[in-house]
Amino acid sequence: EAAVTQSPRSKVAVTGGKVTLSCHQTNNHDYMYWYRQDTGHGLRLIHYSYVADSTEKGDIPDGYKASRPSQENFSLILELASLSQTAVYFCASGTGGSYEQYFGPGTRLTVL
Amino acid sequence: AQSVTQPDARVTVSEGASLQLRCKYSYFGTPYLFWYVQYPRQGLQLLLKYYPGDPVVQGVNGFEAEFSKSNSSFHLRKASVHWSDWAVYFCAAVNMGYKLTFGTGTSLLVDP
């Protein structure tokens, strides 16, 4: 069954540490997205990619990097984690034509 | 600026009662519109989608939504709510490009 998976499902990180969140999709979609979810803000787009080896900035890219080494995999990297990056992070994949997006289960990140 | 507004942060309905969750958009032209549902500690699942055409669209589990250009709205409805509908509902829109803009979500509570 086609799906979007994320790892880890939860993580506790220390301030200033490096955090890598991983996403894998078997939907054969070209587009992949990283969002963060905060109470009262809905989902906000951090980075996205429409082809391997290329990433684009979303609406709130500061403090985050992204990597798309293959069509199936998309990582979100926090080089220097900060308290304000405590949130739930969702990965999604989608096609270009239909605009539909399919979401992973999320990663709950707590930065202490 | 393009935006999606869900004016009700929380809605409570009795099981078996009808439901309407409100969504307003602000876009140049007619966007593509979506409703997603998020069950506790899960990712978002697509409930239904609107592409320009018939203003009333049907989704899963008895949900439907009606697009109104004059009111810039895309309200979600259900005739009879079930306890399993307890979740957070997000309205989203896309016009040009492939970036969805999400509303802040409406938490639906179902009284038994």
Side-chain angles (χ1 to χ4, degrees):
Chain A
E1 181 177 312
V4 179
T5 56
Q6 296 181 232
S7 62
R9 292 295 311 277
S10 67
K11 183 171 181 65
V12 178
V14 296
T15 302
K18 182 177 181 178
V19 176
T20 300
L21 307 182
S22 299
C23 178
H24 179 79
Q25 58 110 349
T26 58
N27 295 326
N28 198 33
H29 288 159
D30 290 327
Y31 283 76
M32 296 188 74
Y33 307 82
W34 275 107
Y35 295 90
R36 65 176 280 171
Q37 183 179 37
D38 302 275
T39 303
H41 285 280
L43 274 74
R44 292 181 290 175
L45 182 65
I46 306 170
H47 285 287
Y48 67 102
S49 168
Y50 55 84
V51 67
D53 295 321
S54 178
T55 63
E56 306 292 332
K57 293 181 179 179
D59 298 322
I60 53 164
D62 293 345
Y64 302 93
K65 292 183 180 179
S67 173
R68 182 93 180 270
S70 64
Q71 186 194 39
E72 298 80 16
N73 295 292
F74 192 36
S75 297
L76 185 68
I77 302 146
L78 290 66
E79 294 279 3
L80 295 170
S82 66
L83 295 173
S84 64
Q85 293 177 313
T86 292
V88 180
Y89 292 85
F90 288 99
C91 176
S93 73
T95 63
S98 69
Y99 300 115
E100 294 179 27
Q101 293 185 20
Y102 297 86
F103 286 80
T107 295
R108 185 173 296 274
L109 175 64
T110 302
V111 182
L112 302 175
Chain B
Q2 300 175 138
S3 66
V4 175
T5 301
Q6 294 179 249
D8 304 308
R10 178 177 290 189
V11 170
T12 302
V13 298
S14 298
E15 190 171 16
S18 63
L19 166 72
Q20 177 173 280
L21 301 182
R22 297 185 292 165
C23 173
K24 300 273 285 183
Y25 66 89
S26 176
Y27 269 76
F28 178 77
T30 300
Y32 292 18
L33 296 156
F34 304 84
W35 276 99
Y36 284 86
V37 59
Q38 184 180 27
Y39 298 105
R41 305 190 77 82
Q42 295 186 27
L44 279 70
Q45 302 173 30
L46 183 63
L47 206 53
L48 49 78
K49 59 192 177 189
Y50 169 78
Y51 298 155
D54 190 333
V56 178
V57 292
Q58 304 295 323
V60 298
N61 297 332
F63 285 94
E64 68 173 27
E66 183 168 5
F67 168 77
S68 171
K69 186 171 183 177
S70 60
N71 293 324
S72 297
S73 67
F74 187 57
H75 300 332
L76 181 70
R77 303 188 299 233
K78 188 172 184 179
S80 177
V81 171
H82 188 264
W83 65 267
S84 60
D85 295 325
W86 190 312
V88 181
Y89 293 79
F90 290 94
C91 182
V94 62
N95 192 340
M96 298 175 64
Y98 302 99
K99 299 191 297 179
L100 281 177
T101 298
F102 285 86
T104 51
T106 298
S107 293
L108 174 63
L109 285 69
V110 181
D111 273 340

